[in-house]
Amino acid sequence: QVQLVEFGGGLVQAGGSLRLSCAASGLIFSRYTMAWFRQVPGKEREFVAAISWGGGSTYYADSMKERVTISRDNAKNTVFLQMNSLKSEDTAVYYCAADLWGVGKPDAYEYDYWGRGTQVTVSS
């Protein structure tokens, strides 16, 4: 049974930083491109960043690429999202997703597995 579990969300002041983690189990982690999406109520899930199965390629949404860094540790089956200079509009539920042999596409339907999400709230 595949499980993706996100950690690290919480309340942070504008301008602050957070590091999200996603621990994967039940899959061969090194075969999956991993991504982060976010969603606010009433809106579609939005792509944030992705990293290829070997970690050699990264993909970012234009709106966030200067403030976020995605990384992974295949030995620990974990993917990370470092977010800096957070803004109130970054408030959302952040989801981890996995795509077998994926190429970092920004479309949610490309991803095979999802976590339950972690809430990030940025206070202004």
Side-chain angles (χ1 to χ4, degrees):
Q1 180 182 359
V2 175
Q3 281 193 316
L4 303 178
V5 181
E6 299 93 342
F7 300 94
L11 175 64
V12 63
Q13 288 189 335
S17 298
L18 274 179
R19 189 189 195 209
L20 306 182
S21 303
C22 171
S25 60
L27 51 68
I28 301 175
F29 187 70
S30 59
R31 295 181 180 180
Y32 285 79
T33 284
M34 300 300 296
W36 289 94
F37 287 76
R38 66 183 184 181
Q39 190 170 25
V40 297
K43 292 191 176 182
E44 292 188 356
R45 203 161 287 191
E46 177 189 18
F47 174 78
V48 176
I51 185 166
S52 61
W53 58 89
S57 297
T58 54
Y59 314 86
Y60 294 98
D62 287 342
S63 61
M64 297 194 73
K65 62 184 178 182
E66 295 183 3
R67 300 188 292 117
V68 301
T69 302
I70 190 170
S71 60
R72 67 189 294 161
D73 184 340
N74 281 358
K76 296 183 178 180
N77 285 11
T78 303
V79 61
F80 305 97
L81 184 71
Q82 177 68 43
M83 301 189 293
N84 301 320
S85 302
L86 285 163
K87 307 174 182 179
S88 57
E89 50 263 45
D90 295 320
T91 295
V93 177
Y94 284 72
Y95 296 91
C96 172
D99 180 16
L100 180 64
W101 301 124
V103 292
K105 292 186 177 180
D107 307 295
Y109 64 80
E110 296 282 351
Y111 291 81
D112 305 301
Y113 301 105
W114 292 85
R116 293 188 175 185
T118 185
Q119 176 71 46
V120 171
T121 302
V122 183
S123 63
S124 56

